[in-house]
């Protein structure tokens, strides 16, 4: 198999080693397919329309309009909006599944789950104005499940979940008519408007994309995070390890992959059960090693410290170690190619979601009522498969990095302010006095077009060296963990101001906030920074930006939109598929800022990316009047008395 076109940018040695194994054994990987596929120019620019059978049409100089007369901007806007709809659907369906689990717990229909974080239940209930005083937790949970389920359907009033945004931002959304009235409604309306012959004004279509994206970020994703915390616990800082070296040579290896935490939580519990471990030992293994890929990994990492085998691009490589007895996949970011890779080894790949079947995978359909039973049966089957492992097919890279994860917003409050006076004052003060220049959320995927980790890591290093505190989610977090950026010692790579803050608190300069739906935690953190005071009264005032340097999935398109609509600059390592629509491109990268205070920026090389983010942060600092670094001054008694306090 050939080398990837961007292999020079692959900087993860474990991946390089496993790519060599793939080549030697003739096993095809995502990098080979990346080389083999000719990237479609029309698709990349948003200029291919297949929404009806007049075409499919491709816009070019010779044919500037499709058969129906739609121009480049209309076609690109419609294509983009359908990605926003798909991304919103993915996160929000995940949220809906969790609400369903919450309902089953509340109604006593499953004993596989319970309310783990009652404090979070109460906090969430209060957001929706649910009475909590003197009521049993399960009653409150039931009413909360009712309210949250209603957030998906159409309602005459905007979604209640939006109330968590700053008041000024809510008013801006209302003024611009982009408040969603229900997740499902926002997606259905968007799909209707982009049907052949309906909404042809590119800016009007984009407005509907923004509405749907808000139903994701401030709706489905916010709900998914809150309910996960209620059911499984709100994360606290914990130590774990990452990269393919977490796969164990002498234990039964089970890898969970996908996004939803419900089954994987039960699998984790079963793997810790001494009876299960004893069974594994009876089969000649030293124990059981559970690890994860993608955001299912992030979910059980954040709450249980379960090691992470790798990010999106490493899913095939994990199987290629030859030491994985079972890979359990649920939904999203699962490559169908896993079937052909697994066929070269003894690995069983089991699809567990009712929504997602793949040819060549075994299938069980997960149901919350029997979750523990199903988890036990799967783990037993993995243990039984240990005997089929071929020792001479095993190659496990010697790559395993320790790191700290578990930074929920509550944990950040407690870390900065202490358990009893938890709060963000020290963070706001550090931003105001310039020790921390600003905050960047670096999120999203890996993409073979960008080389493995070769774009995210240099960007994050450049930002922390410039005193920017970085918040991470998704595969970007896994990537930075592998590069050693998620340990307190990484403070040595930070600029002097950020380093001083990190060393005083004992925190890394780069904080892992969770899975992709947990981008909602970044929104919540932004709200709390504003509420703490001194940095404006809207998210667009903050010296903060978002970035997805290696974005790949449609979820990233939706995430980018809701961050922009929330008032942030969003930098993408390659443009959204819109550049063929000149007016649409200008709307996204310029004009949206006038309306929403946020916009997209495209930047493919690290110096450009760092500059775009720092320029934006500095512009915001200037607007806040905090652009000059204040020197901390030691005052004598006379000077203190002269202070007007
Ligand atoms: O939701 S970062 S590759 S795993 S889409 Fe997928 Fe992208 Fe990874 Fe998590 Ni998010």
């Amino acid at each position: 198999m050939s080398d990837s076109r961007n292999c020079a940018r692959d900087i993860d040695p474990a991946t390089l080693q496993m790519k060599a194994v793939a080549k030697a054994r003739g096993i095809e990987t995502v990098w080979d397919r990346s080389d083999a596929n000719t990237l479609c120019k029309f698709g990349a620019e948003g200029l291919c329309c297949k929404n009806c059978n007049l075409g499919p049409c491709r816009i070019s100089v010779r044919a500037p309009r499709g058969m129906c007369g739609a121009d480049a901007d209309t076609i690109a806007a419609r294509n983009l909006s359908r990605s926003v709809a798909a991304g919103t659907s993915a996160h929000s369906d995940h949220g809906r599944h969790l609400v369903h689990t919450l309902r089953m717990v509340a109604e006593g229909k499953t004993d596989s789950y319970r309310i783990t974080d009652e404090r979070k239940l109460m906090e969430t209930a209060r957001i929706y104005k649910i009475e909590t005083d003197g009521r049993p937790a399960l009653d409150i949970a039931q009413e909360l499940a009712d309210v949250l389920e209603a957030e998906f359907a159409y309602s005459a009033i905007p979604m209640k979940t939006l109330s968590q945004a700053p008041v000024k931002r809510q008013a801006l959304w209302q003024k611009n008519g982009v408040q969603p009235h229900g997740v499902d409604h926002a997606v259905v309306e968007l799909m209707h408007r982009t049907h052949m012959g309906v909404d042809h004004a590119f800016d009007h279509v984009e407005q509907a994309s923004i509405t749907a994206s808000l139903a994701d970020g401030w709706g489905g994703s916010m709900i998914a995070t809150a309910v996960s915390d209620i059911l499984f616990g709100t994360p606290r800082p914990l130590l774990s390890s990452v990269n393919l070296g977490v796969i164990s040579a002498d234990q039964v290896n089970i890898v969970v992959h996908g996004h939803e935490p419900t089954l994987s939580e039960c699998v984790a519990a079963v793997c810790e059960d001494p009876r299960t471990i004893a069974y594994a030992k009876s089969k000649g293994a030293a124990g059981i090693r559970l690890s994860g890929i993608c955001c299912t990994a992030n979910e059980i990492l954040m709450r249980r410290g379960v090691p992470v085998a790798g990010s999106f691009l490493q899913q095939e490589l994990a199987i290629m170690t030859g030491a994985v007895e079972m890979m359990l996949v649920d939904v999203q970011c699962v490559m169908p190619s896993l079937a052909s890779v697994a066929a070269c080894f003894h690995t069983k790949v089991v699809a567990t979601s009712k929504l997602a079947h793949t040819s060549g995978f075994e299938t069980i359909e997960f149901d919350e009522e029997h979750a523990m039973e199903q988890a036990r049966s799967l783990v037993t089957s993995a243990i039984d498969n240990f005997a089929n492992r071929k020792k001479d097919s095993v190659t496990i890279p010697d790559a395993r990095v320790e790191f700290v994860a578990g930074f929920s917003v509550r944990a950040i409050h407690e870390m900065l302010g202490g358990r009893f006076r938890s709060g963000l004052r020290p963070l706001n003060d550090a931003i105001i006095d310039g020790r921390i220049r600003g905050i960047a959320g670096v999120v999203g995927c890996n993409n073979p077009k960008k080389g493995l980790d070769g774009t995210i890591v240099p960007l994050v290093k450049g930002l922390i060296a410039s005193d920017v505190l970085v918040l991470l989610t998704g595969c970007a977090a896994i990537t930075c963990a592998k590069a050693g950026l998620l340990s307190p010692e990484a403070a040595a790579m930070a600029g002097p101001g950020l380093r001083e803050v990190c060393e005083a608190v004992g925190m890394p300069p780069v904080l892992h906030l969770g899975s992709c739906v947990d981008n909602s935690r970044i929104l919540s953190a932004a709200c709390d920074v504003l509420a703490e005071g001194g940095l404006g009264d809207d998210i667009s005032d903050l010296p903060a930006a978002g970035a997805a340097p290696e974005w790949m999935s449609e979820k990233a398109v939706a995430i980018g939109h809701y961050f922009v609509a929330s008032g942030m600059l969003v930098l993408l390592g390659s443009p959204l598929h819109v550049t063929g629509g000149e007016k649409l491109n200008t709307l996204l990268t310029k004009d949206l800022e006038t309306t929403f205070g946020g916009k997209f920026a495209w930047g493919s090389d690290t110096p450009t990316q760092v500059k775009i983010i720092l320029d934006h942060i500095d512009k915001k600092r200037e607007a806040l009047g905090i652009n000059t670094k204040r020197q901390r001054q030691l005052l004598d008694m006379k000077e203190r008395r002269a202070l007007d306090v």
Side-chain angles (χ1 to χ4, degrees):
M1 297 286 143
S2 58
D3 284 334
S4 162
R5 65 184 72 138
N6 275 306
C7 58
R9 294 169 82 176
D10 290 346
I11 60 168
D12 173 30
T15 296
L16 291 172
Q17 184 183 344
M18 292 312 293
K19 279 170 76 173
V21 170
K23 197 169 181 178
R25 297 191 56 154
I27 302 172
E28 182 190 275
T29 66
V30 61
W31 287 276
D32 301 309
R33 294 186 293 276
S34 177
D35 287 342
N37 273 287
T38 307
L39 299 181
C40 172
K41 178 180 172 297
F42 292 95
E45 295 181 353
L47 296 181
C48 171
C49 183
K50 51 182 177 50
N51 290 15
C52 81
N53 197 32
L54 291 177
C57 301
R58 297 196 309 191
I59 296 299
S60 64
V61 176
R62 196 174 61 80
R65 288 179 183 274
M67 306 275 193
C68 69
D71 65 12
D73 288 299
T74 300
I75 290 172
R78 289 196 305 211
N79 289 338
L80 180 69
S81 69
R82 287 184 167 217
S83 285
V84 173
T88 298
S89 304
H91 283 147
S92 300
D93 218 22
H94 171 164
R96 189 205 316 268
H97 296 160
L98 286 158
V99 174
H100 176 65
T101 309
L102 180 68
R103 171 176 297 291
M104 293 195 74
V105 171
E107 294 177 354
K109 289 184 178 157
T110 175
D111 52 13
S112 298
Y113 306 100
R114 62 190 176 89
I115 306 293
T116 300
D117 188 342
E118 212 169 296
R119 175 178 156 193
K120 181 72 181 185
L121 172 68
M122 301 301 166
E123 288 167 0
T124 310
R126 277 180 220 118
I127 290 169
Y128 296 95
K129 305 203 177 356
I130 293 170
E131 183 58 56
T132 56
D133 282 355
R135 294 180 69 192
L138 291 184
D139 263 14
I140 296 168
Q142 181 146 26
E143 189 175 342
L144 181 61
D146 290 341
V147 171
L148 295 180
E149 269 173 13
E151 288 288 86
F152 289 88
Y154 176 77
S155 160
I157 55 165
M159 290 173 66
K160 294 190 174 75
T161 310
L162 302 177
S163 67
Q164 293 176 77
V167 174
K168 200 169 167 184
R169 183 66 23 189
Q170 291 179 54
L172 187 70
W173 291 336
Q174 185 179 17
K175 184 176 148 213
N176 286 284
V178 294
Q179 291 170 304
H181 286 239
V183 177
D184 298 352
H185 170 256
V187 171
V188 168
E189 188 175 288
L190 191 52
M191 294 305 283
H192 174 196
R193 282 165 69 159
T194 57
H195 185 276
M196 189 271 160
V198 184
D199 195 357
H200 299 122
F202 73 94
D203 51 347
H204 197 233
V205 174
E206 176 58 20
Q207 188 188 29
S209 293
I210 285 173
T211 302
S213 76
L214 291 173
D216 174 354
W218 294 90
S221 288
M222 197 69 89
I223 290 169
T225 299
V227 178
S228 294
D229 288 352
I230 291 168
L231 291 172
F232 310 124
T234 300
R236 292 186 178 287
L238 41 69
L239 199 62
S240 189
S241 50
V242 63
N243 215 341
L244 294 166
V246 305
I247 291 171
S248 169
D250 55 3
Q251 300 185 73
V252 172
N253 288 293
I254 301 174
V255 180
V256 288
H257 173 21
H259 284 77
E260 295 192 344
T262 25
L263 178 59
S264 54
E265 275 284 332
C266 295
V267 169
V270 170
C271 288
E272 285 168 8
D273 186 331
R275 288 168 299 179
T276 322
I277 296 168
Y279 184 62
K281 288 184 175 169
S282 77
K283 298 286 176 177
I288 305 177
R289 169 62 50 78
L290 179 67
S291 62
I293 297 271
C294 283
C295 285
T296 301
N298 282 322
E299 296 282 353
I300 53 170
L301 159 74
M302 291 289 282
R303 299 185 179 88
R304 292 176 172 268
V306 169
V308 179
S311 59
F312 170 70
L313 283 185
Q314 292 177 290
Q315 56 189 280
E316 294 167 314
L317 308 183
I319 293 179
M320 239 177 269
T321 61
V324 174
E325 275 59 52
M326 181 174 283
M327 182 178 274
L328 293 169
V329 303
D330 49 77
V331 288
Q332 303 164 24
C333 304
V334 175
M335 293 186 190
S337 64
L338 295 180
S340 54
V341 179
C344 305
F345 300 90
H346 73 303
T347 308
K348 292 184 179 188
V349 183
V350 184
T352 59
S353 167
K354 288 186 176 94
L355 305 185
H357 290 193
T358 300
S359 168
F361 293 3
E362 291 179 26
T363 305
I364 64 137
E365 293 202 341
F366 166 69
D367 82 275
E368 291 84 348
E369 203 181 331
H370 304 103
M372 268 300 184
E373 226 173 291
Q374 289 179 318
R376 262 186 226 106
S377 154
L378 286 164
V379 173
T380 303
S381 164
I383 294 170
D384 290 340
N385 196 25
F386 181 70
N388 298 321
R389 189 191 292 181
K390 294 189 178 58
K391 299 265 178 311
D392 56 359
S393 294
V394 172
T395 314
I396 302 174
D398 183 17
R400 179 184 168 125
V401 179
E402 292 214 323
F403 70 106
V404 183
F407 292 99
S408 60
V409 177
R410 185 195 289 170
I412 296 172
H413 276 254
E414 290 178 357
M415 177 178 67
L416 291 168
R419 198 73 183 270
F420 297 103
R421 287 179 47 216
S422 79
L424 298 182
R425 195 68 247 161
L427 174 65
N428 283 36
D429 285 345
I431 295 172
I432 291 166
D433 72 21
R435 278 173 295 156
I436 294 181
R437 190 166 173 176
I439 302 176
V442 180
V443 309
C445 325
N446 302 127
N447 192 323
K449 290 193 287 191
K450 295 284 176 186
L452 187 70
D453 304 350
T455 311
I456 292 170
V457 171
L459 170 63
V460 171
K461 283 184 176 170
L463 290 173
I464 62 171
S466 308
D467 290 321
V468 175
L469 176 67
V470 176
L471 310 181
L472 300 168
T473 61
C475 290
I478 298 172
T479 295
C480 291
K482 287 190 294 174
L485 292 167
L486 271 66
S487 70
E489 291 72 35
M493 293 184 233
L498 177 60
R499 179 177 180 165
E500 185 188 323
V501 175
C502 290
E503 286 176 348
V505 179
M507 71 178 198
V510 179
L511 304 180
H512 189 337
L513 270 67
S515 63
C516 260
V517 293
D518 293 334
N519 281 315
S520 62
R521 295 195 204 276
I522 298 181
L523 298 177
S524 301
C527 294
D528 287 3
V529 167
L530 286 170
E532 190 63 52
L535 290 169
D537 55 6
D538 185 30
I539 293 173
S540 61
D541 296 332
L542 293 172
E550 300 187 21
W551 76 275
M552 169 280 297
S553 83
E554 290 174 309
K555 288 178 287 175
V557 182
I559 294 165
H561 269 76
Y562 71 67
F563 270 101
V564 166
S566 300
M568 282 212 204
L569 172 85
V570 172
L571 171 94
L572 299 182
S574 52
L576 292 171
H577 301 157
V578 295
T579 49
E582 208 177 308
K583 285 186 265 180
L584 175 63
N585 193 43
T586 305
L587 173 68
L588 294 170
T589 56
K590 193 160 166 264
D591 300 343
L592 279 183
E593 193 171 28
T594 315
T595 316
F596 292 105
K599 64 176 179 180
F600 285 99
W602 327 133
S604 61
D605 63 280
T606 303
T608 305
Q609 292 175 347
V610 173
K611 184 174 183 322
I612 288 171
I613 291 176
L614 292 182
D615 285 352
H616 178 78
I617 284 173
D618 290 347
K619 187 175 88 180
K620 295 296 174 183
R621 293 187 65 84
E622 194 169 344
L624 287 165
I626 56 169
N627 50 332
T628 49
K629 194 158 188 155
R630 285 190 213 161
Q631 290 301 324
R632 275 175 301 160
Q633 208 184 336
L634 289 175
L635 303 178
D636 63 21
M637 197 47 78
K638 192 176 155 203
E639 287 165 325
R640 283 189 199 194
R641 284 199 195 100
L643 284 177
D644 182 19
V645 287

